[in-house]
Amino acid sequence: MVNEPTVTKFNELKLNAMAESYRNQLLDPAFRDLSFEERFGLIIDTEWSRRQNNKLTRLIRKSEFSLNDACIENIEYHADRKLDKPQVTRLSTCNYIQEKHNIIILGASGAGKTYRHMETIRVKNHSRSKKL
């Protein structure tokens, strides 16, 4: 019982995530208990999330960083790297940027300085895209 003309119009308007969400809601009986506003809100949230994720992916790809996959979860805390995990976690919040503080990252070759920098830029781009 999918309303194909509506789905087609969503797609023509380039609202593909909304079309997919609308189709899923029509096919899933669990959504029938929700009000119009709740269902519509879910459809809008799906489209917004998809656009934000696409924007972040595009920014990362466009940045041409050598380490596009850098993220805080992938840091390896080996003893020889002498990384302070609580300090790295604090830095990952990027609060120092909002507070207008500078940081200097020192370490031996292979300690992960460039990786840390790329991860910071990724986090900052992600938080910036959420504010829009």
Side-chain angles (χ1 to χ4, degrees), residues 43-89:
I43 291 171
I44 295 293
D45 288 345
T46 302
E47 182 68 33
W48 186 85
S49 295
R50 172 94 43 98
R51 287 178 183 237
Q52 292 303 308
N53 289 336
N54 290 344
K55 180 179 179 180
L56 180 60
T57 301
R58 186 180 68 252
L59 288 172
I60 291 169
R61 189 174 45 245
K62 187 178 176 184
S63 68
E64 298 179 8
F65 293 136
S66 58
L67 299 170
N68 283 340
D69 63 338
C71 66
I72 192 78
E73 294 83 14
N74 293 342
I75 294 177
E76 297 176 0
Y77 295 94
H78 300 296
D80 60 330
R81 294 180 75 190
K82 298 178 184 170
L83 294 174
D84 182 10
K85 190 171 184 174
Q87 180 68 18
V88 171
T89 304

Side-chain angles (χ1 to χ4, degrees), residues 25-26 31-32 34-43:
Q25 284 188 15
L26 290 175
F31 287 102
R32 291 189 185 128
L34 299 177
S35 69
F36 171 78
E37 290 81 10
E38 291 171 323
R39 290 179 64 182
F40 190 64
L42 290 171
I43 291 171

Side-chain angles (χ1 to χ4, degrees), residues 14-25:
K14 296 185 180 334
L15 301 170
N16 301 323
M18 287 179 78
E20 182 181 326
S21 181
Y22 178 65
R23 182 180 288 122
N24 289 341
Q25 284 188 15

Side-chain angles (χ1 to χ4, degrees), residues 2 11 13-14 22-23 41 52 69 72 75 86 91 94-96 101 124:
V2 175
N11 288 323
L13 292 169
K14 296 185 180 334
Y22 178 65
R23 182 180 288 122
Q52 292 303 308
D69 63 338
I72 192 78
I75 294 177
L91 290 173
C94 294
N95 286 339
Y96 62 90
H101 293 147
K124 186 62 181 165

